[in-house]
Amino acid sequence: MQQIYDDIRGDFRYDSELNGCLNCGICTATCPSAQFYDYSPREIVQLLWTENVEQIYDAMQEKIWACAQCMTCAARCPFKNSPGGLVAIMREVAIKHEMQSAKDVLRPFGRVMLKLITTGNQLSPDMIQPDHFPDWGPNIQKVEGDLSVLRKAIPVKTLQTVETAWEVSLKTSVEMYTIWEMTGVLKSLELMDENLFDVIEDFIDEKREEYEEWLEEQEDDD
């Protein structure tokens, strides 16, 4: 627990996100997540301000994952705290320490990451099916109609498919892979889901080879 707290406290953003607390409650009063979940931005600030290591660890089991990262709290706080920013730090530390809460919360996003890395799209029409996203709530059950037929009605040819939402160039995809590597996204993925990481890494390698071949072809044409 102490190491987890030390990692939170040692983050370079920490001192700019936590400046004190009047305990006024404005952050919680304006927080959309606080209306629906057992979550309070003020509680997060208070726990960190008082260095309550045990309760900080407890909050990282569930509460920090309720934050929508809208940053309304940061905009309203008279002390210029950013509870949302502190939550972001706590989430990253949870991933770093391979906490089970992080794995449980992020697992459903694995399919989105796989779609993003393979097509450049976070979602595609063939994913928007009643049985595919039950965790999206009851409204997903209202999706009806033959999406393959509906997509063919779109004037732009590159959108007349259900496998992708739009066309992404090979160059853009490779640039995205590089950003993920340089910013530590892939390293975090490896900690959370090693199997998915292996699949995505293999795909990235293939795409990079394909891109290198394309560059060589362009040089030959010139």
Side-chain angles (χ1 to χ4, degrees), residues 22-222:
L22 294 172
N23 208 21
C24 64
I26 290 177
C27 56
T28 298
T30 58
C31 174
S33 294
Q35 298 181 41
F36 301 100
Y37 301 100
D38 180 21
Y39 172 72
S40 166
R42 177 174 61 176
E43 178 185 4
I44 299 299
V45 170
Q46 284 290 314
L47 291 178
L48 292 168
W49 186 248
T50 59
E51 301 183 5
N52 193 323
V53 175
E54 185 173 344
Q55 290 191 36
I56 289 171
Y57 182 80
D58 289 343
M60 293 174 72
Q61 303 308 311
E62 184 174 355
K63 291 183 179 181
I64 64 169
W65 305 104
C67 173
Q69 292 287 284
C70 67
M71 299 301 173
T72 300
C73 51
R76 300 296 180 86
C77 178
F79 248 84
K80 300 188 182 302
N81 292 318
S82 176
L86 293 169
V87 165
I89 295 172
M90 295 170 77
R91 287 177 174 179
E92 291 175 19
V93 172
I95 292 172
K96 174 184 175 182
H97 285 270
E98 303 181 53
M99 292 179 65
Q100 189 60 46
S101 63
K103 293 181 179 181
D104 292 342
V105 169
L106 297 176
R107 187 174 295 113
F109 293 95
R111 56 193 163 188
V112 177
M113 289 193 71
L114 186 59
K115 176 63 77 169
L116 179 60
I117 208 72
T118 55
T119 68
N121 294 223
Q122 288 180 311
L123 295 172
S124 61
D126 62 356
M127 295 172 70
I128 312 300
Q129 298 290 343
D131 296 334
H132 287 195
F133 281 81
D135 50 316
W136 279 17
N139 287 334
I140 194 65
Q141 300 299 326
K142 298 177 182 179
V143 175
E144 295 178 354
D146 189 336
L147 290 176
S148 60
V149 174
L150 295 174
R151 292 286 287 186
K152 288 178 181 178
I154 299 176
V156 184
K157 277 193 173 184
T158 56
L159 301 183
Q160 294 178 352
T161 173
V162 296
E163 296 177 355
T164 59
W166 57 83
E167 187 177 31
V168 176
S169 71
L170 180 59
K171 180 176 182 292
T172 298
S173 295
V174 171
E175 289 175 347
M176 181 178 66
Y177 306 152
T178 303
I179 291 171
W180 279 23
E181 283 183 336
M182 297 298 290
T183 57
V185 171
L186 292 180
K187 180 62 178 177
S188 296
L189 175 61
E190 185 177 13
L191 294 174
M192 291 294 97
D193 191 334
E194 190 171 354
N195 291 332
L196 179 60
F197 170 79
D198 290 339
V199 171
I200 287 179
E201 187 177 45
D202 289 343
F203 185 85
I204 289 176
D205 290 341
E206 291 178 7
K207 282 296 182 181
R208 280 182 167 153
E209 289 178 6
E210 185 179 339
Y211 183 58
E212 290 296 330
E213 291 175 359
W214 180 83
L215 288 176
E216 291 176 2
E217 291 176 0
Q218 297 304 306
E219 292 178 357
D220 292 340
D221 291 342
D222 292 340

